[in-house]
Amino acid sequence: MKKRLMPLVVALGISTTLLPYAVANGASNSAKIDQEISNMKKMKSAAEQKAKDVQNQLTQVQQEKQETAKDIETLMDQLDSATAKLSGLNVQIENTTEDLEENAKQLDEAEKRVETRDELLKKRMRIMYENGSVSYLEVVLNSTSFSDFIDRMSALKSIVGQDKEILEANKKDRALVAEKKQQIEKQLAYVKNLYAQTEDLKQDLLVKEKAKEVKIASLSAEQQHLEEISSDQEQAIMEYARKESQLQAKKAADAKAAAAAAAAAAAAKNSSSFGSSGSGGGGGPAAGSGGSMGYPLPKRVSLSSGYGGRVDPINGSFAGHTGIDMPSPQGTDIYAAESGTVLVASEWSGYGNCVIIDHGGGVWTLYGHIRNGGIKVSKGQSVKRGEKIAEVGSTGRSTGNHLHFEVRINSKPVNPSSYIGY
């Protein structure tokens, strides 16, 4: 009997001896893991802050780029206006030139008329010179009869009238031509001056347009650089989150193992000297990866953007899309696609307000662009499949209200469509 009791007593003694060590060792491992988790959180927090700073810079660059693009549009409108004004001035110059040519023609005709009249007056002066100076009174008094007197008077009136008309016509023609010529020359000079001013304006606008285009090219390069940095930071954050999740899982597994060891030791201590010890079996964590996930919205919607390559709606460049976009009105409820633990519940990089749930086995789901104040869970919280976790919005790099939904395996994005039945 004593021989049969000895192994049991020895085993009980060993278990009792190892129990404090197992508990202490478990506590030591737990403290070590807690320290690693704390360090990981700090690194992730620093990476998140850097990503946020980069996102702010990117937003500022995008706004400046949009403002510069608007400036170019304004300059182009001004250039179009200047071009239209220039065209109008060209028409005005052509019309003025035609008027000037017509007036030059009229001037030539008027000068010919003046020349003809001058020639007529010169002839009469020569006749008067050759025949001696004869006054109009002598002509009248030398009449031979009353009838001859009347004829001579009529002739004199006609001559005097003609002379007067010739002189008046010449005077008017000369004044009109001089005035017209001066007026047109001033008008032409004014139009040419406007033409020169408009040409200067056009050249100035072209220089400004070129400068704005160069600025946009510079901003585009800076935007691309910041987007690359943002992408790198996002990957770094994902890696930190993945490691943190692994450490949390290891901590939970160690705690479970320590609890199992403590339970086994307690059972061995409390067993009777006649009982036989049995080995307890422990199960691993559920994979939870089989089967489809729950739909994250109250009703099915058509996707506005699928997984994979697409044209970025903000910068217009071709880029990869790590999830699917599900358009819905602002405030629409968002549900957890599977049970798990909330890994992220805050503003996060280009996702805006974001929730990430760790479902175990390296499986995560991500819910992005949540409205401000729309996150309804907190980090570390356990959630059930179908539980409301947030509300639809348009924060971060978003052009409208929608849910950006991702599934990640070991922090790497995979096509989420098949997981929710698309």
Side-chain angles (χ1 to χ4, degrees), residues 63-99:
Q63 289 175 348
E64 190 173 353
K65 186 178 176 182
Q66 291 173 354
E67 290 171 0
T68 305
K70 289 180 181 178
D71 289 343
I72 284 187
E73 290 179 4
T74 301
L75 287 173
M76 291 303 295
D77 290 341
Q78 292 176 1
L79 186 60
D80 291 341
S81 177
T83 302
K85 183 178 180 180
L86 186 61
S87 299
L89 287 174
N90 286 333
V91 172
Q92 189 176 352
I93 288 174
E94 290 177 2
N95 293 337
T96 304
T97 303
E98 291 176 0
D99 289 343

Side-chain angles (χ1 to χ4, degrees), residues 9-24 265 268-269:
V9 172
V10 172
L12 182 60
I14 292 174
S15 298
T16 305
T17 303
L18 291 178
L19 177 58
Y21 173 77
V23 173
K269 183 177 181 180

